[in-house]
Amino acid sequence: MRQYFPSWLRVPLVFFAIAALAEYVIDSGDKPAFIEHPMVGLFLLLVLLILIAIEGIVGAMDNVLYQSLDDEAKARYVAQKNKTPRFIKWIQNIYKKLLGSKPIEKEHEIILDHNYDGIKELDNSLPPWWLYSFYASIIFAAVYLLKYHVFNGDSQYDELEQEYAEAKIAIEEYKKTAKDLVDFTTVEVLTDASDLKAGEAIFTTNCVACHKADGGGGIGPNLTDEYWILGGGIKNVFKTVSEGGRDGKGMIAWKQNLKPSEIAQVASYVLTFQGTTPAEPKEAEGDLWVTENTTTSKEAASSSENDIEATVETDSTTAN
């Protein structure tokens, strides 16, 4: 390896290979392993120092060996050391082939008759790398023309719309697991027993002092009736718990102490008090809150009663 790669190339190659292996093996999420885990950075620094130390030790041993040789052996050693590595020779040969130039001893084959004050012109061919790139661009252009202008392939705008749709789906999937992204505009009533149990624990810890354990009300309003000061329903209750009650009085804003998911849990638990009978209910406060479903039910019932009355009147008229 020392014959093919100089020390200034060996050390970075080995170091970055070890760093890449550590990055692959260690789970560090979106951050690099040496940032997420400082011990990994310390380990890589130690590896770098060891590699440099090894190069120094091997170089010192080479010098000791060189000093122990006679003049003839030293000459052979220097000649071998100054010999161009095979890897470098391979790169040089590839470069010459890609360049496609004629060696100096064969320039007479491509010399032109033009002569400008002793300066002659060579008829060099285009480099192979340039020709191959040109041919590849022609093939690419033909494929592009057929795909997008003959067979009407997806344009950049179509791909952008598809990426938007995929991103929207990914965001919705993320929201399902990221409960703390919820706010009063997107919150929904939680019905799982685990969420209601957590909401009950939060209510017991923070809300019982003002609303009592059964929601009958004390300093705070009664939570069991259908009257609400700042509006009922999950959205209004969530906002009230989060932002607090009326200015200058009422409940404090709990958003500083509770996560959005916890506010959703306690708000859902508060709604379970609706229709229950507390031991000492407080007088109703605020306005009667009627949900959309309740309104629809009442309108349907009223319409049904009107239909019955109309039917009775019709039957009575017919009988008369």
Side-chain angles (χ1 to χ4, degrees), residues 2-4 66 73-86 88-89 92:
R2 293 178 59 84
Q3 184 180 356
Y4 299 105
Y66 176 77
K74 285 182 178 180
R76 289 197 304 269
Y77 179 86
V78 172
Q80 181 67 25
K81 190 172 184 180
N82 293 334
K83 185 178 179 180
T84 303
R86 282 179 289 177
I88 302 299
K89 285 185 176 180
Q92 291 174 345

Side-chain angles (χ1 to χ4, degrees), residues 125-169:
S125 301
L126 288 171
W129 68 264
W130 192 96
L131 286 174
Y132 298 150
S133 301
F134 181 67
Y135 297 149
S137 66
I138 294 175
I139 295 173
F140 175 82
V143 173
Y144 186 93
L145 177 68
L146 290 173
K147 181 176 180 180
Y148 293 104
H149 295 279
V150 177
F151 299 107
N152 296 322
D154 292 339
S155 66
Q156 292 180 342
Y157 293 103
D158 297 328
E159 293 177 355
L160 181 62
E161 291 296 330
Q162 182 179 356
E163 290 179 1
Y164 274 141
E166 292 174 353
K168 187 176 181 180
I169 294 173

Side-chain angles (χ1 to χ4, degrees), residues 50 90 98 139 141 150 158 171 183 189 200 228 240 267 272 287:
I50 291 175
W90 178 78
L98 291 176
I139 295 173
V150 177
D158 297 328
I171 290 173
D183 58 19
V189 177
E200 181 182 5
W228 296 85
T240 302
T272 62
D287 300 321

